[in-house]
């Protein structure tokens, strides 16, 4: 957008349009909070000038198409200031009518308490959990450069974020800002709403960071704007930031609750309505005589013109795209395909090609999957929090500040930052993303994983070293509770494959899922291949519904998730091939007829082989035994006619609601060779067998 | 320890003692890793000189008493270098014989893969999860200043930490270092093992931070030591650091795997044994002719002298303590009592005094508990991640860099840092600690909470706004899966009280527990007082054992936890008083005889009142109904003769293993007024009633 935009002769009254627009944003926000009797007026009132300056003079977007690939991204990392964002979206003509502003924070409105991706046109990501907006903005800015490296003809946009003090205190701000500096993301511009106030009071009660020096230490361009109401100064700083090849951090000094006579500059303005009296006095002081929820005509007209310029920008881009598509139809198709998250043909075949005979760790099976995917899925990018080799996610040369063409990203030892950046890349669009670390360190990235699920982003988390079998590294590195702690996150698909074939299937399920994240839970130790997986396809049967009168049966299959997982067939009897077809669960029955079954052993991942060995012994006892490998527990329905036993090297509490006997581990592990640690905690044929025999004996 | 210590004429051969001691540490570590065929030789070989310089010239400790209150603390934040720490502990005479070094990383040894608090004398905290050692060191240094403010006569020690690149990339390093700068923790000295290598390769693949500038931005004293083998330079830098009133950050440039000819300076030296050949060549190059696991006599003699100086220091301190105790016996008793984690008399009475008639949120009940505790439990300190008011944890004036006497700490918007710092304060000793945030942000601090549990530290986590009833702030602020995600952490006591009386009991249980953490799960919204809680005590009965043949019954009570929780009686029938006495569960039966019961409604926290209302309706249907408030689910055993139904505004998967029908929420919430959101997700009398009636109908 030309710099001159707002200096066109739009001003039809003596009142300065900028001043009027800023006050519109301030009072729309305060009116929203007042109407809801809930929310945060202070941030919008203080940050309205910087937001207006950015949106009126710099942000390149077309409100008519919030999904335009080459738009600038705007992230309100200080998500509690949502009323400011909704005001901006309304003013500029996004599909967010004033009626929705009046329904701020009401059930079913498009104006939830914090910005939520997917609920409101123009909201680029869900924010509120502090610091993550900044990190997602880093991801978006990285995605822009990576897209530019692939499609320079189609890519020329920036990412802007407004962050608050809380964002900067959160550790994830360090991880993300450090990565942004390392990767020289010059198209990222961060405005800090430097209002010196947090919920509990003055920032200097808790934080004395020299933020400019800190960001300079990360390799950023930094600048202070001492008066956050000075639109010309903000504008000039933004212009300099755009010209700087480094990511930019602008400290814009503001007053929280600007204009509210009694509470401005205090924590009282942060998170409560101003109250009718205080709001009335603020309006009076500002000379604001309009009724609540008013957009002055002059402001509306200005914004319409600005939106029109954005529409022109998009029209130009569409023209360029048409030329590009004519000149390079295959690349244009690829661009569109990746943008639509459509998978190329041949993916399942490529994945199933990795299946072999030799035992190997599923992390290695997963590495083979990635190797197979690389040539056919160019939009797949990702990396590791410094465990690429260990987690089986080596993916070629890594992206650097002078080369964004590679598909691998060295995230550094920054799990949380990695996950939030992956969210940002995924939200940007055009890529499928994965990131890896040890399962035990899923705790470090959990807040971002939750946002993946809440935003419905198909981020693939590769989490290896998945049990106490990790061994010598000890309990700090041995997951115990982590599988269950992930399974309880709504909308997260958790898959724990047992061998090559299931790992390939897990990758297929992760990739075919486009509306939510997946966690692949993989072993450190070598696992056998379950031969029968590779037999010719067996007949598949429809899964049995859970017995209606079984204890807790109605809760066996968790209540509907926010988003459906991929295709079913994630529970496989050992002896049947896993498939992702037909929506049917592969439960072929190679061993015995269902009518004779007495014991059903259910296991996941590395414990499937243990279950198979135990089954042999039980059969020698005269039991009729089926072994089920459960890639995804939500797909498993127990056989109501059998005694069901789960075997998984993790917490048993939730399994206890699924099966009759849950064998697992509910305490921390120990340092020692993996097999010895497993034995110490009862994961041997003899220990498991003894527990099952006891159970069968007592159940008689 | 006098600076001259190591310059005494201890050197009896031509070989420099320092050089010999450093090589001893290097080769002990390499020998350990080689014997285990597992571990990290590179860090110890590179960092041995700085560790030796610190331990020989600065660290004030007495290996004969690792619990001496006024010892200096040493934290190996780069916990994968455990072999270096074990070597130091062995050399200086801690109870860690060479036989234990030979059993490095073996099951049951005192030399686990990563340092584990409680497993090895002299190990101050569990490290390995990167960054947390640094943050715990900040907590220890803060505890030292807070102890000094209370007992200046008894307190004069420092905290040292060695951190690696990974620690500095982790976000928690930002949170902790920023807080340390803010609080001017001048007695904290951090040595950075600046070896420019991480697991995946060169640091500069992923990180270009100017770490000195970054720490200076936090208000730290910083200095670079360009040659990490230069003991005199390290010594001088440590001396300057001790003289500086700010916390100090020393960047000590090292070579990972120093001395191993083929792998030194590369990632290959990080996490694998050197191999027999490489180790032999390293020893040859160093002129090291001793057999594996040798401590040269000259080194042993030097360390014995140094340990003797530490013993003298402690003897001096004990003398001062005796004088102090004579002059101020009451204060000496308090010092000893707090150090022993013994509670003062009157605690239960003080807590039960907060019980009132008026409805209030349990976060407010909890604030009343804290107010009641403050006068009688002076060692209780804590604070909030900037939500002191919202979470009911306002606790008086806050600690500042010029005043460490207050009991409240403003942690800033740094949940993870808060939890890790609390671990550090708790490990330091002399304090009981709490920290607060919203329950949904327990995700942010989860890695440190896990370490609280693993280390058996009685950190109290006050987690409020505990369900979708949070309302308008929306799904980013509404916990759903969090209760279960906490319940699966081994050794964490999770308590969700329903009213004043249970909140008081929860605080009592949290405080009487001295060997593990507690999470108090508290409501945002107002809750009624369950009158009968305050009746005269009812007869208590022993809890029924879980039915042996019920489906999954043997798993109803989770397998033994690492540490036992506090006294039982955490499940209370509505209508009985909660007590913490006698090890008996309070299950008085005011309503109906057990033989007639048909429905048992189990609820926690805010859902107890809902359950009570539903019970009334079910009784009108002709059912005999008991309502059980379950403060701690691990203490609840379902009535095998009744149809059991749980009602909790959280994930149902684990409840499904406990009761017949689990009513909860397994999807994300929505933004809207709390009561509307609850109703939308089925938490109304009519919705719950309909589900139970359906269930009872289908179960017939």
């Amino acid at each position: 957008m030309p710099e001159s935009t707002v200096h066109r002769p739009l001003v039809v009254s003596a009142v300065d349009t900028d001043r009027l627009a800023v006050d519109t944003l301030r009072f729309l926000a305060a009116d929203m909070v007042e109407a809801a009797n809930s929310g945060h007026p202070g941030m919008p009132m203080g940050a309205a000038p910087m937001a207006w300056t950015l949106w009126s003079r710099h942000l390149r977007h077309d409100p008519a198409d919030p999904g335009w690939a080459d738009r600038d991204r705007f992230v309100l990392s200080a998500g509690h200031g949502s009323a400011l964002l909704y005001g901006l979206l309304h003013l500029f003509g996004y599909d967010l009518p004033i009626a929705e502003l009046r329904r701020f924070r009401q059930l079913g409105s498009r104006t939830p308490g914090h910005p939520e991706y997917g609920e409101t046109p123009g909201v680029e990501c869900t924010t509120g959990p502090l610091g993550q907006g900044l990190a997602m903005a880093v991801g978006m800015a990285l995605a822009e450069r990576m897209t530019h490296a692939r499609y320079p003809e189609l890519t020329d946009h920036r990412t802007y974020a407004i962050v608050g003090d809380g964002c900067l205190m959160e550790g994830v701000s360090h991880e993300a800002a450090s990565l942004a500096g390392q990767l020289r993301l010059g198209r990222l511009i961060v405005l800090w709403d430097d209002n010196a106030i947090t919920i509990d009071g003055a920032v200097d009660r808790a934080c004395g960071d020299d933020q400019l020096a800190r960001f300079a230490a990360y390799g950023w361009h930094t600048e202070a704007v001492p008066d956050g109401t000075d639109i010309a100064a903000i504008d000039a700083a933004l212009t300099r930031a755009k010209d700087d090849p480094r990511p930019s951090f602008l400290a814009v000094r503001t007053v929280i609750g600007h204009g509210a006579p009694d509470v401005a500059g205090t924590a009282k303005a942060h998170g409560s309505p101003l109250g009718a009296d205080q709001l009335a006095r603020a309006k009076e002081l500002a000379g604001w005589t309009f009724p609540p929820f008013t957009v002055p005509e002059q402001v509306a007209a200005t914004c319409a013109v600005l939106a029109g310029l954005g529409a022109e920008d998009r029209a130009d881009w569409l023209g360029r795209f048409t030329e590009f598509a004519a000149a390079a139809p295959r690349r244009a198709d690829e661009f569109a395909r990746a943008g639509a998250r459509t998978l190329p043909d041949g993916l399942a075949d490529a994945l199933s090609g990795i299946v072999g005979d030799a035992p190997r760790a599923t992390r290695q099976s997963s590495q083979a999957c990635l190797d197979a995917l690389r040539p056919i899925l160019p939009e797949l990018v990702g990396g590791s929090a410094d465990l690429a080799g260990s987690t089986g996610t080596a993916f070629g040369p890594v992206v650097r500040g002078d080369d964004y063409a590679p598909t691998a990203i060295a995230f550094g030892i920054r799990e949380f930052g990695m996950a939030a950046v992956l969210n940002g890349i995924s939200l940007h669009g055009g890529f499928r993303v994965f990131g890896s670390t040890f399962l035990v360190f899923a705790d470090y990235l959990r807040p971002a994983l939750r946002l993946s699920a809440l935003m419905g982003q198909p981020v693939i988390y590769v989490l290896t070293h998945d049990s106490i079998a990790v061994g010598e590294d000890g309990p700090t590195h041995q997951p115990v509770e982590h599988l269950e702690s992930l399974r309880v996150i709504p909308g997260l698909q958790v898959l724990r494959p047992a061998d090559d074939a299931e790992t390939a299937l897990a990758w297929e399920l992760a990739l075919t899922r486009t509306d939510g994240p997946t966690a692949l839970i993989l072993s450190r130790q070598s696992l056998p291949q379950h031969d029968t997986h590779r037999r010719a396809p067996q007949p598949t049967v429809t899964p049995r519904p859970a017995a209606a009168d079984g204890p807790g049966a109605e809760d066996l299959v968790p209540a509907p998730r926010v988003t459906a997982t991929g295709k079913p067939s994630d529970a496989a009897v050992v002896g049947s091939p896993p498939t992702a077809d037909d929506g049917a669960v592969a439960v072929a029955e190679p061993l015995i007829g269902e009518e004779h079954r007495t014991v059903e052993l259910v296991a996941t991942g590395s414990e499937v082989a243990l279950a198979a060995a135990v089954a042999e012994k039980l059969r020698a006892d005269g039991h009729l035994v089926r072994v089920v490998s459960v890639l995804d527990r939500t797909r498993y329905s127990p056989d109501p006619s059998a005694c069901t036993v789960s075997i998984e090297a993790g917490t048993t509490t939730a399994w206890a609601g699924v099966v009759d006997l849950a064998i697992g581990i509910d305490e921390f592990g120990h340092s020692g060779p993996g097999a010895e640690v497993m034995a110490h905690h009862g994961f041997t044929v003899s220990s498991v067998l003894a527990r099952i025999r006891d159970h069968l004996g007592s159940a008689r």
Side-chain angles (χ1 to χ4, degrees), chain A residues 361-382:
Chain A
T362 48
R363 62 180 167 138
Q364 294 170 317
S365 314
S366 178
Q367 176 73 70
C369 291
L370 279 172
D371 293 343
L373 289 168
R374 215 170 144 210
I376 61 170
L377 200 63
E379 70 269 31
L380 183 63
V381 302

Side-chain angles (χ1 to χ4, degrees), chain A residues 282-302:
Chain A
K283 287 181 176 175
E284 190 183 333
L285 282 169
W288 185 265
T289 57
F290 303 100
F293 293 102
T294 298
V295 176
E297 204 170 320
Q298 180 178 348
V299 174
T302 300

Side-chain angles (χ1 to χ4, degrees), chain A residues 29 36 91 165 189 201 320 468 495:
Chain A
L91 288 192
D165 292 296
I189 297 176
R320 290 202 303 282
I468 56 170
L495 306 176

